[in-house]
Amino acid sequence: MEPNLPDVVLWSIPAFVLLTVIEMVSYRFHPDEDAAGYDTKDAATSLTMGLGSLGFDLLWKIPILAVYMGVYELTPLRVPVLWWTVLLMLLAQDFFYYWSHRGHHVIRILWACHVVHHSSRKFNLTTALRQPWTSATVWPFYLPLIACGVHPAALAFCQSANLVYQFWVHTERVGKLPRPFEYVLNTPSHHRVHHASQGGYLDRNYGGILIVWDRMFGSFAAETERPVYGLTKNIATHNPLRVATHEYAAIARDVRAAGSWSERAGRVFRGPGWQPAPRPGAEAAVPVPAPVSVEAAAVPAPVRVEAPAPASVTAAAPAPAPEHTR
């Protein structure tokens, strides 16, 4: 019997709209020069990506639900839907969400899906709505829950609850919370780190509801400096189709240009920044100095003595250090 659980995303839409409007108004009357804030085109792109994901998710759910139901019918295990089992299912789903999220950062073909969510250089509540259109890569991570007897409808409820929770952590208007909350829960401070593009912040804080998974598995980083949002190589477009597919196109170009099958596999299944080892013979030749004639070697070069600069001449100031780039 299918569990009768509410659609928490649908019920949360009015709250999404209200909180987004409040955040926009807050920037209007209390601007923060250091915060990323809002940009009209960027926010419109995020909303378009969110609406598009709803339609594409309906298409992906058809084959995914068929697989889930097949596994559920094959397993002899059954987890009843009670108040305390729902809490346990939420905990288990958050655990597998951590590994799904981590996998979508460290495997390039999965990153091609998830990169959409990180493509904005702003960080506000509309960023939470910037969702991918190719989320069919997520479902394998939750197969263990189905095999343990969790009904697909119960899993969908837990995933929706996790998604709704993460909406509010996409903001710069909330600072750090009291230490007990920061230690256990995913908070705006932790998630700002996750969306940052600085080297020390990259691939950190994957947790959905709980941050304890990151503390346990070594992927936690505290917010110490102001984040710089976006990608290490940002895309200059607000076209939703390009936002949704740009990394897949980049993978295709790299695969076509690859010189071997191992490189092709690496371009797809290694990390987003992976580069193949230099090919044999591709190293630049070391220049050989030209031979010096015997006559030239026999005659010492004249020594040029520079007169010391007058004391009134001011020494040149050292050149400024280059600015940090990302």
Side-chain angles (χ1 to χ4, degrees):
M1 181 178 178
E2 182 175 329
N4 185 20
L5 295 167
D7 187 338
V8 290
V9 173
L10 183 64
W11 282 96
S12 300
I13 289 177
F16 291 169
V17 175
L18 178 61
L19 289 173
T20 302
V21 171
I22 291 173
E23 186 184 47
M24 288 180 175
V25 171
S26 75
Y27 277 109
R28 176 78 174 180
F29 290 100
H30 297 283
D32 182 351
E33 293 182 357
D34 293 325
Y38 274 84
D39 173 80
T40 302
K41 289 184 178 180
D42 180 85
T45 301
S46 295
L47 292 172
T48 303
M49 297 305 300
L51 291 173
S53 71
L54 295 177
F56 281 100
D57 282 351
L58 289 176
L59 296 177
W60 299 125
K61 282 179 180 177
I62 296 172
I64 292 171
L65 183 59
V67 173
Y68 278 174
M69 288 305 301
V71 174
Y72 183 76
E73 292 299 327
L74 289 173
T75 180
L77 304 175
R78 291 292 181 269
V79 177
V81 179
L82 306 170
W83 71 266
W84 62 272
T85 59
V86 170
L87 294 178
L88 292 177
M89 284 188 282
L90 281 168
L91 181 66
Q93 188 275 332
D94 197 56
F95 172 78
F96 285 106
Y97 172 86
Y98 169 87
W99 289 108
S100 171
H101 196 179
R102 187 165 181 166
H104 278 73
H105 273 256
V106 300
I107 300 173
R108 192 180 181 192
I109 191 64
L110 303 185
W111 171 245
C113 162
H114 186 61
V115 68
V116 170
H117 186 59
H118 286 262
S119 61
S120 174
R121 285 184 253 185
K122 303 294 182 180
F123 190 75
N124 52 57
L125 292 176
T126 64
T127 308
L129 306 177
R130 186 177 285 228
Q131 296 295 322
W133 294 356
T134 56
S135 56
T137 57
V138 173
W139 66 271
F141 291 89
Y142 298 104
L143 277 175
L145 284 177
I146 304 297
C148 288
V150 174
H151 194 281
L155 173 60
F157 169 80
C158 294
Q159 289 176 313
S160 298
N162 199 314
L163 185 66
V164 169
Y165 175 87
Q166 291 188 60
F167 176 78
W168 80 281
V169 301
H170 291 82
T171 184
E172 292 187 280
R173 302 308 260 175
V174 177
K176 289 192 176 183
L177 301 179
R179 183 174 296 181
F181 294 98
E182 294 286 342
Y183 192 83
V184 175
L185 298 174
N186 186 19
T187 65
S189 176
H190 298 328
H191 209 60
R192 286 192 289 268
V193 169
H194 179 70
H195 274 258
S197 59
Q198 290 105 311
Y201 283 172
L202 286 177
D203 299 331
R204 298 290 178 177
N205 300 358
Y206 300 112
I209 297 175
L210 301 177
I211 202 67
V212 294
W213 311 123
D214 291 280
R215 296 185 186 277
M216 290 172 60
F217 299 114
S219 55
F220 175 76
E223 184 182 30
T224 55
E225 59 178 313
R226 183 171 288 276
V228 178
Y229 304 110
L231 307 173
T232 56
K233 185 178 180 181
N234 286 300
I235 54 172
T237 181
H238 291 102
N239 183 325
L241 185 60
R242 288 187 61 195
V243 172
T245 61
H246 73 273
E247 184 63 15
Y248 292 106
I251 292 175
R253 288 193 297 269
D254 287 344
V255 168
R256 283 197 301 268
S260 65
W261 283 106
S262 62
E263 183 182 346
R264 292 184 183 96
R267 294 295 190 183
V268 176
F269 298 109
R270 297 265 191 162
W274 178 81
Q275 292 293 332
R279 299 173 192 171
E283 295 83 4
V286 179
V288 178
V292 180
S293 65
V294 175
E295 292 79 6
V299 180
V303 177
R304 181 179 178 184
V305 179
E306 296 285 353
S312 60
V313 178
T314 304
E323 295 183 2
H324 172 70
T325 58
R326 56 185 177 86

